[in-house]
Amino acid sequence: MIAVTAGRDLPLRPSALRLAESCVRTLTNSGAVPVVLVPGMDATAVRQVLDTVDGLLLPGGVDAADPHPRHFGEELRPETVVDEDLDALEITAIDCATASEMPVLGVCRGCQILNVALGGSLIQHLAPGEVNHLQDLRSHPEAHELRLEPGSRLAELSGSRVLRVNSLHHQAIARTAPALRVVGTAEDGVVEAVEATDPDRWIVGVQYHPEELTDRPAHRRLFDDFVSHCARYAAERQPVRREFARKQTP
């Protein structure tokens, strides 16, 4: 069971929630059961859900809200659109997941909020340059190169040092959180992938959208590996959860 955060459908329908079908389908195809977390849940409820699941997926998407820059000591720029309820939801979920050493995967905005929650900062708006980071996926499914560090989890899973990826973001990681290391960049040096500095921890953030590229084995293996480690986490936690349930039974 993997917790997945849903965002609001901004800016046109702020009262509606949004979660891409491709994100859910990719998890289920890898053998997982998604459990959706929504903005507005209080911290106690989020912690209760995180106590029952085996992994955390932080997705992104077109027009996804940006993490509020106050979390890394900056003022809002005109291009930055925020949803503080979503920030609160995801930061609480990240805190719970990392404290229990649960596998965490962040995609696009999810990569950014993961970095922010762990103490990093963001570039609030990428200036136009040699790489188009905010592409039209319908006409160009792949936007630029992903150059991977040798020995990284992503390089080992993909079997390659260079991949072609899509791109739907106007922000990016600036200062990397202490618990993360950069393992992938675009041609222009923009950070596109991070992993836990501790090789025993399964924490990965990717700025692109691998859930839209699962017809390529390199990207499908990322989700298979994530779900596999979530299953391993579940098996390791089962005795603890069984004892907790026993104590709660009158």
Side-chain angles (χ1 to χ4, degrees):
M1 296 176 64
I2 295 176
V4 185
T5 54
R8 290 191 173 99
D9 193 1
L10 300 175
L12 298 179
R13 298 191 302 160
S15 62
L17 297 173
R18 179 178 61 188
L19 178 61
E21 179 187 3
S22 57
C23 177
V24 175
R25 184 177 63 249
T26 302
L27 284 180
T28 56
N29 286 347
S30 294
V33 177
V35 177
V36 180
L37 301 175
V38 298
M41 292 177 66
D42 64 32
T44 299
V46 175
R47 293 187 187 101
Q48 288 174 338
V49 173
L50 266 290
D51 281 343
T52 67
V53 300
D54 313 304
L56 174 63
L57 173 61
L58 306 156
V62 180
D63 296 327
D66 304 312
H68 199 297
R70 67 178 175 80
H71 295 300
F72 48 92
E74 293 185 12
E75 298 295 323
L76 276 169
R77 283 187 48 158
E79 304 90 347
T80 304
V81 178
V82 300
D83 182 343
E84 295 196 70
D85 284 344
L86 180 56
D87 286 352
L89 170 73
E90 293 188 325
I91 290 172
T92 300
I94 292 165
D95 288 346
C96 293
T98 54
S100 62
E101 301 188 359
M102 178 184 294
V104 180
L105 173 59
V107 173
C108 195
R109 172 201 154 88
C111 176
Q112 296 166 6
I113 194 67
L114 177 64
N115 183 63
V116 169
L118 296 178
S121 67
L122 302 177
I123 301 168
Q124 287 195 56
H125 190 67
L126 293 167
E130 62 179 288
V131 174
N132 179 12
H133 289 281
L134 193 58
Q135 68 173 127
D136 181 349
L137 289 182
R138 291 167 295 182
S139 60
H140 298 90
E142 296 176 341
H144 60 76
E145 288 184 354
L146 170 65
R147 299 173 178 179
L148 295 170
E149 289 295 315
S152 64
R153 186 182 300 276
L154 285 172
E156 291 176 357
L157 287 172
S158 65
S160 176
R161 290 277 308 282
V162 180
L163 300 174
R164 295 291 300 179
V165 297
N166 50 25
S167 193
L168 270 176
H169 61 105
H170 81 108
Q171 297 197 334
I173 289 175
R175 183 183 69 254
T176 310
L180 301 174
R181 68 185 184 105
V182 175
V183 297
T185 57
E187 299 96 312
D188 58 359
V190 167
V191 175
E192 291 284 331
V194 291
E195 296 177 3
T197 55
D198 181 350
D200 294 328
R201 300 287 298 274
W202 206 105
I203 301 176
V204 175
V206 294
Q207 191 60 74
Y208 52 99
H209 285 267
E211 76 278 11
E212 301 289 348
L213 299 169
T214 53
D215 56 330
R216 285 81 156 173
H219 298 297
R220 187 174 63 249
R221 283 195 290 267
L222 171 61
F223 284 93
D224 290 343
D225 193 59
F226 172 52
V227 173
S228 174
H229 278 77
C230 291
R232 185 181 305 173
Y233 174 87
E236 293 171 351
R237 293 278 292 176
Q238 190 172 24
V240 176
R241 287 173 172 165
R242 189 182 296 119
E243 178 64 15
F244 176 80
R246 186 188 66 79
K247 290 180 179 180
Q248 301 305 306
T249 303

